[in-house]
Amino acid sequence: MSEAVNEQELVDYIALKTNAAPAAIRLVLQHEQVFLNNAKANAKGEVDIDSDDIVDYVLSRRDVKLDELTVESILDTEMDFLMDKGIAGYVD
């Protein structure tokens, strides 16, 4: 997660939009960050990440007791927040 993002503000935003517990949101975001940190770049130096792969990874963690829809909602809402802040966007 970017240094420019206030984690508490992000968690509050996601909790408001998804009704997920802040502890669950932080856990999902923590596992997402590990996944992103371990993503390998291709020959062009680009990292191609499918959101379904992140969801599958998060759900495969033993300490995550959430359903797929909740994890997807948390990650989608995080992306909405980052796009609203001008920090991230989607690439086709």
Side-chain angles (χ1 to χ4, degrees):
M1 194 174 336
S2 170
E3 296 288 332
V5 174
N6 178 312
E7 181 184 354
Q8 188 60 51
E9 181 183 2
L10 173 61
V11 170
D12 291 345
Y13 178 88
I14 295 171
L16 179 67
K17 300 285 186 176
T18 66
N19 293 322
I25 294 166
R26 282 189 175 87
L27 184 61
V28 169
L29 296 178
Q30 174 187 3
H31 287 304
E32 174 197 28
Q33 192 62 52
V34 169
F35 180 88
L36 296 173
N37 288 343
N38 291 326
K40 303 290 183 218
N42 63 19
K44 296 179 184 177
E46 300 168 340
V47 178
D48 184 27
I49 298 173
D50 186 290
S51 61
D52 290 335
D53 293 339
I54 298 173
V55 171
D56 291 343
Y57 176 81
V58 170
L59 289 171
S60 74
R61 305 296 92 193
R62 283 192 210 176
D63 56 346
V64 175
K65 307 294 185 213
L66 302 169
D67 60 76
E68 183 174 355
L69 184 59
T70 302
V71 172
E72 285 178 352
S73 294
I74 290 169
L75 295 173
D76 288 346
T77 305
E78 175 198 23
M79 190 61 168
D80 292 344
F81 176 87
L82 295 174
M83 287 176 21
D84 288 348
K85 296 287 185 181
I87 297 169
Y90 289 105
V91 176
D92 292 328

